[in-house]
Amino acid sequence: MFTNSKLTKSIRLAMAIGAVSAFSTTVAIAQDVATTDQKAEAAIEKIAVTGSRIRRPGAVSTSPIFSMNAEEISFFQEPEVERMLKVLPSTIPGDGANVNNGSAGAATVNLRGLGTQRTLVLMDGRRMTPFNYNGEVDTASIPTALLQNVDVVTGGASAVYGSDAISGAINFIMKKDFEGVELQYNHALTGDNDGVKDNIALTIGSNSADGKGNVALSVSWMNRDQVLLGDRPLGLLGINSKTGAGLAEFNAGLPPVAAAAGCDAPNIVDFEKGSGSETAIPTRFALVGYAPANGQFRNDGTIGTDCSVFNFNPFNFYQTPAKRYSATAIGHYEINDHATVYSTFNYNHQSVSQQVAPSGTFGAAFDVPLANPFIGTQAREYMINAGNAALAAGLLNTPGLTNWIDSNGSGDVDEADYLRMQLRRRTVEFGARSELFNTDQFSILTGVEGQLYGDWMYDASYQYGETNRVTTRGGYTNLGNIQNALDTIDGVNCKNGVSSCVPLNLFGGLGTITPEMAAYSTATALQTQAYTQEIILLTANGPIEAIKLPWSEEELSISVGYEHRKETGSLEPDECLKQAPASCQGGAGGNLLAINGGYSSEELFIEGVLPVLEGVAFAERVDIEFGYRGADYSSVGSVNTWKLGATWQPTEDVLIRVMQQSATRAPNVAELSSPIVTALDNATIDPCSIANAGNIDATLNALCISTGMVQAQVGAVQDIISGQVNAFSGSDPDNAPGAEDAETFTAGFVYSADFLDNFVISVDYYDIQVNDYIGEFSPQEVLDACYKGADTVACAKIKRIGGDLTISGSGVELFTTNLKSRQVEGLEINVDFSIDLGDMGELSFNSNINKYLTHEQQSSDTSALIDCKGRFGTTCSPTSDLRWVQRTTWSWNDLTISALWRHMSSVDIQSDQVADTFDQFESIDSYNYVDLFASYQYGKHTRFTFGIDNVFEKDAPVLGGEVGQTAFNSGNTFPSSYDNLGRMYKMGVNFTF
């Protein structure tokens, strides 16, 4: 057996490498572990680290694990764990409080930028219940008051935990033996005295009288106030990412340039000098497929050239409002050595609001009688002339499209006829568009564990979780009713004869829509979602004494198990939301159809650690670790994952580790079962539109025609509007996605020394290659593949109406399928040490550094390789190739002061977007933030905390609103990646008894 000194040092090194803290010196491995030799010896027991189910003395991790313990978690004074995790250099922001247009009303985590669906979220080593049919976990359901540790395993963990752990796993470890009463209150607000967040948590725990059990209950309430884009100078006006329009006004502290008299209205800015949406006030008129006919109304009902755009920014949220109530109960009781029963119950109710600018008709095409009395004389003549010009050009009625009904058979467009026209009118009279997400989620875990015989232990558990969500959407235009309301020739009655129909006046400026018109032409709709998860897990672990190598005193340790998992998800929208192609809600981006799907899996797994050498020259210890999991999915059949690695401890203070893993992710419910619906997605340019007319050569001209255009439409149709294009999304009906595979390699070393207190340095290399990854082509990839690469398969995905891609029913097919590959490669470095200051306390220094060597993806062999390392854009969230966090903490008696330095290196626009981006928006300089924390323990029962985030009030970068994905590029910046609310003040008090 080990001598005490060797065992002590092994335990110390195990603590160092099993969970190297990202910020703090104190390290925890599934329990509180002391760092002195005496306490380490006392703490010796068989334990398991996150990323393995094997329990053994001095357990170490062959995969890198980074951990935050309870003290460090308290430094953030943050009830939302997503806010803490996105600080880690290994993460890229997912959904959260700073995502508005595109938010799902949740808080998700994205490890390595490989996608939230490839990050497995666990609580005490168990899967958490997703909140939606995409299989994503809302981390808002984590009871932060009970958090003991957060362990982040990078480099894949599918062999241990199963599907979804491609990029790793995040394990939230709860306090198991809480005793007493703790009341926490935290308050935060910005330097502008808004964005208030309050949180109250009460935790009560007690041990049983015989000391064999414990029960703890924690309840909490949180409220987060909104911050509008209009509450900050950066968000007050739109800035055009292509032209820079609006930047001069922002830099000078001026309001947006107002539109000329006769074209003015609230939030309306000048067409040439401002930036915003072309769905504006007054209404913009266009004929489908004939851009030269476009014009814009004036407030007096006449039509002229384009004169205004709508400044949609002020209505949106920089911080979405939310309310949350939660309750968690954890308990266990030891019946005897062979049976300890345990259970966890978690309930969470959350309400999150999203708001965007008032709705509009957004280029929807309507059949309008030219005799409509709301159309003024000059406007009518303009429309008739435009129609006749399009007729002469051969573009009025084209194959598959009827733009004109010659009611009187005259052969010319005249007042008796109908024209199919696009009317872009911002319906401010309806109020802002809103979505309210109300989510109820609960899960229950119950099980029994204990000793089988000897050193063999077992664990048998049943877990059930359920999420139910109701989303209420209001303020949208009802496109079907608007079509009815436009079809009038007397302005009093609709031609459909329905008495409730109120004719609508869209042919002018603000005030043409009366309250009665608005009531008929608006729509509110509901949609419900549900998700259930059921898991049966049986495991056994222990040593096989018969398998022991002669050079080691320890035998093989293994863990074997069986897991049954069943996942089901559904979406049920209102009937009006199902209407194709754009639903009843104009401005919602398309229609929705019911989703009802699921899958089950039966999985067998084994993992083991075989000690090879011990106590010989240049090998204090050598272990080999292996694992295998075979899974049979009802959706994709049998898949296999494995891992093989080794740890080598040449001296007592050095450990070298290497791990090769094969990870697998089966498609989730949405990827398997989503019907084809219309939606909006980001793109930069339609190569066949008027915006690219000067660059259309004979080759491009032929390709444009091959996608359904007639010759006269090429270079004459309007371009993509506001950086978004119509899309057809859903599971590929002819090629359902299969499982995606990843090869993960990690190698590194850990060095622990005594020349500084608690000195630990770890350096790890990682390489994650995901093959056949599940996803969708981006719209621009499809457009470029067709029009630049002459790819006939891509060309077949482009569906034009009248040559156009902006009207309902047109768009680009973006079906979910297996794409080619993604790769993330880099180095992660951790340095931790402390300095004893004697009577002045202790100073600790802790750093976590991530350096990307590769961060790229390619959808197909013919698609361009997209390099996200050091880039940002419509595909890449800002991905700094170098990020670090460095925490310095001074502890002296009852006082603790800590400073966190956050660094993000500079990033440049994606290479394929340079030509369409304003020069000043092509790069973002490196960013450095400093956060301060202080706490004071007053007596035995009271602790006061104070904090300031972004102490130097570093402003977010100015980029306009079209350089990135709509969800993450908002308010002229990336509000999830950079601090956009300014300085944040935090304070709190904890009472413990």
Side-chain angles (χ1 to χ4, degrees), residues 4-5 8-9 12 34-44:
N4 282 341
S5 62
T8 297
K9 290 193 174 184
R12 292 180 62 197
T35 57
T36 64
D37 289 355
Q38 180 180 4
K39 290 183 179 180
E41 292 174 10
I44 296 169

Side-chain angles (χ1 to χ4, degrees), residues 169-181:
I170 299 177
N171 189 15
F172 296 96
I173 301 170
M174 301 293 110
K175 299 172 182 175
K176 303 299 191 304
D177 294 293
F178 182 86
E179 186 172 21
V181 178

Side-chain angles (χ1 to χ4, degrees), residues 539-862:
T539 65
N541 64 83
I544 299 181
E545 296 179 359
I547 302 179
K548 182 170 67 173
L549 297 181
W551 310 283
S552 174
E553 296 185 14
E554 279 193 66
E555 57 279 308
L556 170 69
S557 295
I558 68 168
S559 172
V560 296
Y562 162 79
E563 182 176 70
H564 162 81
R565 185 158 55 95
K566 184 177 182 180
E567 313 258 352
T568 61
S570 66
L571 164 70
E572 186 57 48
D574 268 359
E575 288 302 314
C576 80
L577 294 176
K578 300 177 182 179
Q579 297 172 8
S583 86
C584 67
Q585 292 195 325
N591 69 323
L592 295 173
L593 293 175
I595 296 174
N596 196 346
Y599 62 89
S600 61
S601 68
E602 310 293 332
E603 307 182 32
L604 295 172
F605 55 87
I606 181 172
E607 60 174 317
V609 175
L610 178 64
V612 177
L613 293 174
E614 176 194 326
V616 300
F618 304 109
E620 288 291 326
R621 187 181 185 95
V622 175
D623 292 340
I624 294 176
E625 180 176 336
F626 61 88
Y628 173 82
R629 176 181 287 257
D632 184 14
Y633 285 88
S634 61
S635 55
V636 296
S638 297
V639 298
N640 303 300
T641 63
W642 56 267
K643 66 175 181 177
L644 180 63
T647 57
W648 170 35
Q649 190 178 341
T651 70
E652 293 177 341
D653 299 321
V654 176
L655 183 134
I656 298 170
R657 56 189 175 193
V658 62
M659 173 72 83
Q660 177 72 45
Q661 299 188 61
S662 172
T664 301
R665 186 178 78 87
N668 58 45
V669 173
E671 291 165 340
L672 286 170
S673 306
S674 293
I676 304 302
V677 296
T678 56
L680 288 175
D681 210 330
N682 296 101
T684 54
I685 189 171
D686 176 2
C688 299
S689 72
I690 195 170
N692 195 47
N695 300 315
I696 300 177
D697 57 17
T699 300
L700 178 53
N701 183 80
L703 289 168
C704 294
I705 291 174
S706 76
T707 57
M709 305 182 79
V710 299
Q711 180 61 61
Q713 292 169 342
V714 178
V717 299
Q718 58 190 331
D719 190 21
I720 291 164
I721 304 296
S722 299
Q724 292 183 316
V725 66
N726 294 329
F728 302 96
S729 63
S731 303
D732 189 335
D734 300 319
N735 185 24
E740 59 185 31
D741 299 308
E743 297 297 323
T744 300
F745 177 76
T746 57
F749 72 88
V750 185
Y751 174 58
S752 173
D754 295 328
F755 62 84
L756 287 172
D757 290 343
N758 303 309
F759 178 84
V760 178
I761 180 172
S762 68
V763 179
D764 287 283
Y765 165 83
Y766 58 87
D767 184 5
I768 306 173
Q769 176 87 34
V770 188
N771 299 312
D772 297 323
Y773 75 94
I774 304 170
E776 304 83 31
F777 288 94
S778 72
Q780 200 63 53
E781 277 185 311
V782 176
L783 294 173
D784 290 346
C786 174
Y787 299 123
K788 293 181 180 180
D791 184 341
T792 56
V793 175
C795 291
K797 297 177 181 179
I798 300 170
K799 311 297 181 183
R800 295 180 180 272
I801 295 179
D804 206 296
L805 287 175
T806 67
I807 68 170
S808 298
S810 66
V812 182
E813 287 183 356
L814 306 175
F815 298 155
T816 302
T817 186
N818 290 96
L819 305 178
K820 186 181 179 183
S821 65
R822 304 180 68 161
Q823 184 184 14
V824 176
E825 178 190 23
L827 295 171
E828 193 138 35
I829 303 169
N830 290 270
V831 181
D832 299 85
F833 64 91
S834 58
I835 299 174
D836 188 350
L837 302 179
D839 292 340
M840 294 303 295
E842 183 181 69
L843 199 62
S844 64
F845 300 89
N846 328 106
S847 302
N848 178 217
I849 305 164
N850 182 76
K851 170 68 176 178
Y852 282 124
L853 303 176
T854 306
H855 202 301
E856 58 190 27
Q857 64 187 74
Q858 188 173 18
S859 298
S860 70
D861 290 329
T862 57

Side-chain angles (χ1 to χ4, degrees), residues 77 185-190 194-198 984-987:
Q77 303 182 84
Y185 171 69
N186 290 96
H187 175 79
L189 77 164
T190 73
D194 60 7
V196 172
K197 181 157 55 179
D198 290 299
M984 178 72 71
Y985 297 94
K986 299 178 177 180
M987 58 207 75

